[in-house]
Amino acid sequence: MKKQKLIALAMIIALVIAGVSLNMDNRKGLQEIERLKGLISNQQEQVDLIDIELDILKVIEVGKSRGLSEENIKIALQIIQAESGFNCNAIGVNWHESGNFYSLDIGCWQLNSFYQKSVASKDADRTCLLNLECSTHLAIDIFEEWGNWEAWVTYNNFIK
């Protein structure tokens, strides 16, 4: 549905551009194009916000189902925001000079392939890491194993 709206707006712009060259003076046509670009930009921002709102609700749902307190759910949301901005396709590359190797931070939670070998190593199901619901379950597993959120540097440096 979201893509359909954007496609419809793009088609309107194409028609307006055609109209500019056929029927309108350039100034009016350019003003109309700018107005329509603004509509598309606003529409995309609204789509992005709706997606993030749905992601937030998904984390809350998983957190509650796993028995997290409201405080820990808030911390989980802060970690995701700080780590990836709710971009579940995010992949960060880390070079470790001391060991002469690299590791990957994968997904919304940016689970590290070296420090979280059990869930993020090359042998792990990385499709899960790119899925918010699945990776939230993994993150809560880590939280429960550690007894806190300290596995995430962002928690230690910015949230704690």
Side-chain angles (χ1 to χ4, degrees):
M1 181 70 168
K2 297 176 266 184
K3 287 183 182 178
Q4 291 171 336
K5 288 180 183 178
L6 291 175
I7 291 169
L9 286 171
M11 289 173 57
I12 291 169
I13 285 180
L15 290 172
V16 169
I17 291 170
V20 167
S21 61
L22 298 175
N23 300 331
M24 300 179 178
D25 73 21
N26 281 344
R27 190 174 341 151
K28 284 183 183 176
L30 290 175
Q31 288 172 345
E32 185 64 9
I33 289 170
E34 289 305 313
R35 184 184 76 75
L36 290 171
K37 282 182 185 176
L39 286 175
I40 288 176
S41 176
N42 289 339
Q43 184 72 25
Q44 185 58 48
E45 288 171 14
Q46 289 173 0
V47 167
D48 291 344
L49 285 175
I50 290 169
D51 289 344
I52 290 174
E53 289 168 357
L54 292 173
D55 288 346
I56 289 168
L57 291 174
K58 180 54 71 182
V59 172
I60 292 169
E61 176 186 317
V62 171
K64 284 183 177 182
S65 75
R66 294 287 301 270
L68 289 184
S69 68
E70 284 186 31
E71 182 63 26
N72 279 317
I73 291 172
K74 283 199 283 190
I75 292 170
L77 292 168
Q78 290 173 326
I79 289 171
I80 295 169
Q81 178 61 39
E83 290 286 348
S84 69
F86 284 88
N87 176 2
C88 290
N89 294 316
I91 297 179
V93 179
N94 309 294
W95 178 250
H96 302 269
E97 286 287 333
S98 60
N100 201 28
F101 69 96
Y102 76 92
S103 65
L104 299 175
D105 295 334
I106 305 167
C108 275
W109 286 89
Q110 292 292 279
L111 294 173
N112 185 273
S113 63
F114 180 76
Y115 295 107
Q116 299 301 328
K117 284 185 173 102
S118 63
V119 296
S121 72
K122 67 181 176 182
D123 299 321
D125 178 7
R126 292 198 175 165
T127 58
C128 176
L129 299 175
L130 301 173
N131 174 282
L132 180 60
E133 182 174 359
C134 189
S135 64
T136 298
H137 280 289
L138 294 175
I140 293 171
D141 290 345
I142 295 166
F143 165 79
E144 290 173 345
E145 181 183 325
W146 285 53
N148 56 47
W149 294 108
E150 291 180 5
W152 285 268
V153 173
T154 54
Y155 173 77
N156 295 314
N157 292 343
F158 305 110
I159 299 169
K160 192 173 180 181

